[in-house]
Amino acid sequence: MSGFQPFEIIPGDPSRSLVILADHAMNRLPAEYGDLGLPAAAFARHIAYDIGVEAVTRSLCTRLGIPAVLGCFSRLLIDPNRGEDDPTLIMKLSDGMVIPANHPLSAEERERRLDLFHRPYHDAVSTVIAETWRKSGKPPLVISMHSFTHAWKGVARPWHAGVLWDTDPRAALMLINQLAADPALIVGNNEPYDGALKGDTMHRHCSMTGIAHALLEIRQDLIGDEAGIESWANRLAPILATLADVPELHEIELHGSRVI
């Protein structure tokens, strides 16, 4: 597979016991998959990756000195933020665009993509969480970074950011409150998406293990350039540092899930 690496681990000091995940950080494809039959412009769109998230995550890691795991492959190849049995794991159609290389798709090719990309990414996530826990002596707080489009199907989205969660409110509600303390921000609580999704990254690594966590969505037009990226990194770094110092967020609590 020409040495394609499906994940990148940003090393960091485990003592703060804080880990960032960025499932859709990149829009890359291994050379053998070409362009999946798509025009180059498709890979600049939200259907291929979460715009702005890689740069925000790197900036946060630099500021806080913490580890992160980045997904290095486009979600058009296979979506790491979906369970292995999710029908949207490998999309045939995304926001009106047909992905030719994904339909028809043999069972063998589906399994190959799981083995080469999806499973190694999740193995890396498990390893970084476990190593941070071992070295810090306490369960880490896990923050998953994503971004969303400013409008959907012609309807503007008012939120500047949204915090998604399932049934464990600990980190999510603290993060919402910290963000909402800025009167200039409209912060969604399980908007623009619902945080309960069986088999996704937070469900798999945190909801089912009792690790405190939250998924943060930032509107893409706000982090589409260097100024926006730095502004949001500056905003988030002290908030995440504050959350990482809360003892309650380093305890194992099983809250179950709305999807099982």
Side-chain angles (χ1 to χ4, degrees), residues 4 24-30 40 42-45 47-51 54 71-76:
F4 185 90
H24 303 140
M26 302 183 197
N27 58 359
R28 300 175 185 170
L29 292 173
F43 293 91
R45 295 181 57 200
I47 63 172
Y49 73 123
D50 279 349
I51 294 166
E54 178 185 357
C72 294
F73 53 92
S74 172
R75 69 202 305 176
L76 292 172

Side-chain angles (χ1 to χ4, degrees), residues 205-224:
H205 295 281
C206 299
S207 295
M208 293 295 95
T209 63
I211 290 174
H213 61 283
L215 189 154
L216 176 61
E217 294 266 5
I218 306 171
R219 208 173 68 201
Q220 289 172 357
D221 60 312
L222 302 178
I223 52 173

Side-chain angles (χ1 to χ4, degrees), residues 19-165:
V19 172
I20 296 180
L21 307 179
D23 301 329
H24 303 140
M26 302 183 197
N27 58 359
R28 300 175 185 170
L29 292 173
E32 66 189 280
Y33 284 93
D35 54 15
L36 298 177
L38 294 169
F43 293 91
R45 295 181 57 200
H46 71 96
I47 63 172
Y49 73 123
D50 279 349
I51 294 166
V53 161
E54 178 185 357
V56 172
T57 299
R58 291 188 187 280
S59 189
L60 286 171
C61 288
T62 297
R63 283 168 165 77
L64 297 171
I66 57 173
V69 185
L70 308 179
C72 294
F73 53 92
S74 172
R75 69 202 305 176
L76 292 172
L77 182 69
I78 188 168
D79 193 334
N81 195 36
R82 294 294 183 272
E84 292 193 10
D85 58 352
D86 192 305
T88 65
L89 176 70
I90 300 175
M91 295 288 282
K92 302 175 180 65
L93 178 70
S94 183
D95 195 13
M97 180 164 282
V98 174
I99 299 96
N102 292 353
H103 182 70
L105 192 76
S106 68
E108 291 77 14
E109 174 58 22
R110 182 181 182 279
E111 190 67 17
R112 183 174 190 272
R113 295 189 196 183
L114 283 166
D115 278 342
L116 292 179
F117 310 107
H118 192 278
R119 289 169 182 151
Y121 173 76
H122 284 284
D123 288 345
V125 170
S126 294
T127 295
V128 170
I129 290 173
E131 282 296 292
T132 303
W133 186 343
R134 183 180 67 82
K135 291 177 180 177
S136 69
K138 56 189 177 183
L141 168 63
V142 176
I143 301 294
S144 182
M145 299 291 298
H146 292 258
S147 65
F148 64 97
T149 58
H150 73 282
W152 184 248
K153 299 188 184 301
V155 178
R157 287 167 156 171
W159 311 282
H160 300 96
V163 178
L164 312 188
W165 57 291

